[in-house]
Amino acid sequence: MKTPEKLHHSFVHTTLSTRPLSWAAPRVYFYPNFLSPSECTHLIDYARTHPKFKDGAADSSVYFGWHDHYKDKILASIETRIGVVTGIPPHGDEEPINVHHVPVKGSIPDDPRHLNIHHDKVQKEYSAATVLVYLTNSTVGGGTIWPCSAKLADGSTVRQECKEGFEANVRWFDGEKSTIKGVPKRVSVETEVHEEMSAVRQLAIDGCAATTEEMGAWRNTPARTSGGDSGVTAGSAVVFFHNHPDGSPDPFAWHAGCPALSEDKWTMQKFKELPMAFRKKEDQPRRR
């Protein structure tokens, strides 16, 4: 007879609940019970024992190889679950699951290196969706924010700036440096979209700060955060898509991770990509 934990693995597609944080541009869905507590603990423990984990570093990311996927039943189950919610089954043409650790912050930092905005599809044409799972609780901060979908009290938005940054092939921007067309650039080297990206990032900073204070103009906007007023709960997840339903790229899927102010922040990420068979013929490997 199957244990409750095994039932959770086998029939997760019928037990997961979800609600939209944003219906369109970008499409973002929140899953309050994506992982069980034991699965969260398993991923953290697994990451801590990985040879590439850097304990005590400002941040550390561990990518599990596909050999881990095949030998670890929990990882395999999570990959299958991700396939269900994204509509793309696990395959070998995408990056495996990774776990990310960031030590607790004392406050919303003014230091630009502590918060960057990024778009997971830029320079990765076949990236289709991102699944982000929170592995630890954070009662203050720690959520994720999508500044391009925010409409503030005065009616202003940064949607045009988001579009221009995407079209300029900016992958990420932290106010101090950026990556444009795959080449890191310092802000001191002025870029054509520096002002635009600064405006988007500032809105993300303001939104992260708003989740730890009075919500103000951010209250009830779809861009708020996955954490909201009550913070982030271990096992909850957000799934957001980089394409519109018609398959065209969504230039508004910029996002940023808000710093956790109460506990260390552990997250699991999966960048879902289209299998090779669905890519352009010229991008597929040649058969000999």
Side-chain angles (χ1 to χ4, degrees):
M1 182 175 181
K2 293 183 177 180
T3 65
E5 187 72 3
K6 290 182 178 178
L7 283 172
H8 178 71
H9 293 165
S10 302
F11 299 102
V12 67
H13 59 286
T14 63
T15 60
L16 284 177
S17 60
T18 184
R19 62 180 173 85
L21 294 181
S22 176
W23 282 107
R27 291 181 290 148
V28 186
Y29 299 90
F30 178 70
Y31 292 82
N33 63 333
F34 194 82
L35 294 185
S36 68
S38 62
E39 289 172 323
C40 293
T41 300
H42 177 79
L43 288 174
I44 293 173
D45 291 344
Y46 205 6
R48 284 189 184 278
T49 61
H50 196 282
K52 292 189 176 181
F53 178 71
K54 300 176 182 177
D55 195 13
D59 60 80
S60 181
S61 291
V62 171
Y63 280 83
F64 300 118
W66 281 107
H67 61 282
D68 296 299
H69 168 91
Y70 290 114
K71 74 179 183 180
D72 188 284
K73 292 183 179 180
I74 292 180
L75 276 178
S77 172
I78 294 171
E79 286 278 13
T80 300
R81 200 172 315 166
I82 290 170
V84 170
V85 299
T86 60
I88 305 174
H91 60 88
D93 302 321
E94 61 186 1
E95 295 179 357
I97 284 173
N98 79 83
V99 171
H100 190 65
H101 171 247
V102 180
V104 63
K105 307 294 183 184
S107 62
I108 297 292
D110 293 325
D111 187 335
R113 293 171 297 178
H114 289 155
L115 190 144
N116 72 75
I117 53 172
H118 42 286
H119 198 302
D120 294 338
K121 191 175 183 68
V122 174
Q123 301 163 27
K124 296 181 70 174
E125 180 180 357
Y126 299 106
S127 179
T130 296
V131 179
L132 176 65
V133 187
Y134 307 101
L135 303 179
T136 49
N137 297 316
S138 179
T139 55
V140 184
T144 307
I145 200 159
W146 293 267
C148 302
S149 62
K151 186 174 183 180
L152 300 183
D154 62 0
S156 63
T157 70
V158 291
R159 292 179 74 80
Q160 183 60 34
E161 290 86 346
C162 292
K163 185 176 180 181
E164 291 178 15
F166 181 81
E167 292 174 347
N169 281 317
V170 177
R171 181 165 177 80
W172 60 268
F173 178 80
D174 69 0
E176 184 178 87
K177 56 185 180 295
S178 62
T179 296
I180 297 178
K181 297 180 180 177
V183 180
K185 294 186 178 182
R186 306 294 295 186
V187 164
S188 57
V189 180
E190 194 69 23
T191 68
E192 61 184 37
V193 291
H194 172 64
E195 291 186 6
E196 289 82 356
M197 289 291 89
S198 295
V200 178
R201 179 178 172 274
Q202 186 59 53
L203 193 55
I205 291 174
D206 293 344
C208 286
T211 65
T212 64
E213 302 167 1
E214 291 297 321
M215 294 301 292
W218 278 82
R219 185 172 295 279
N220 296 324
T221 65
R224 219 175 72 198
T225 70
S226 53
D229 298 305
S230 59
V232 169
T233 303
S236 62
V238 286
V239 177
F240 53 101
F241 293 86
H242 314 147
N243 297 331
H244 295 299
D246 65 1
S248 61
D250 185 348
F252 305 117
W254 291 93
H255 57 285
C258 298
L261 308 185
S262 54
E263 295 87 9
D264 282 12
K265 182 176 180 179
W266 286 87
T267 54
M268 186 215 81
Q269 299 177 93
K270 175 68 180 186
F271 304 111
K272 290 297 292 183
E273 300 179 45
L274 295 179
M276 198 63 67
F278 292 90
R279 303 184 186 186
K280 296 177 183 176
K281 187 175 181 180
E282 58 267 28
D283 292 335
Q284 298 181 16
R286 294 182 179 180
R287 294 183 179 179
R288 296 187 178 183

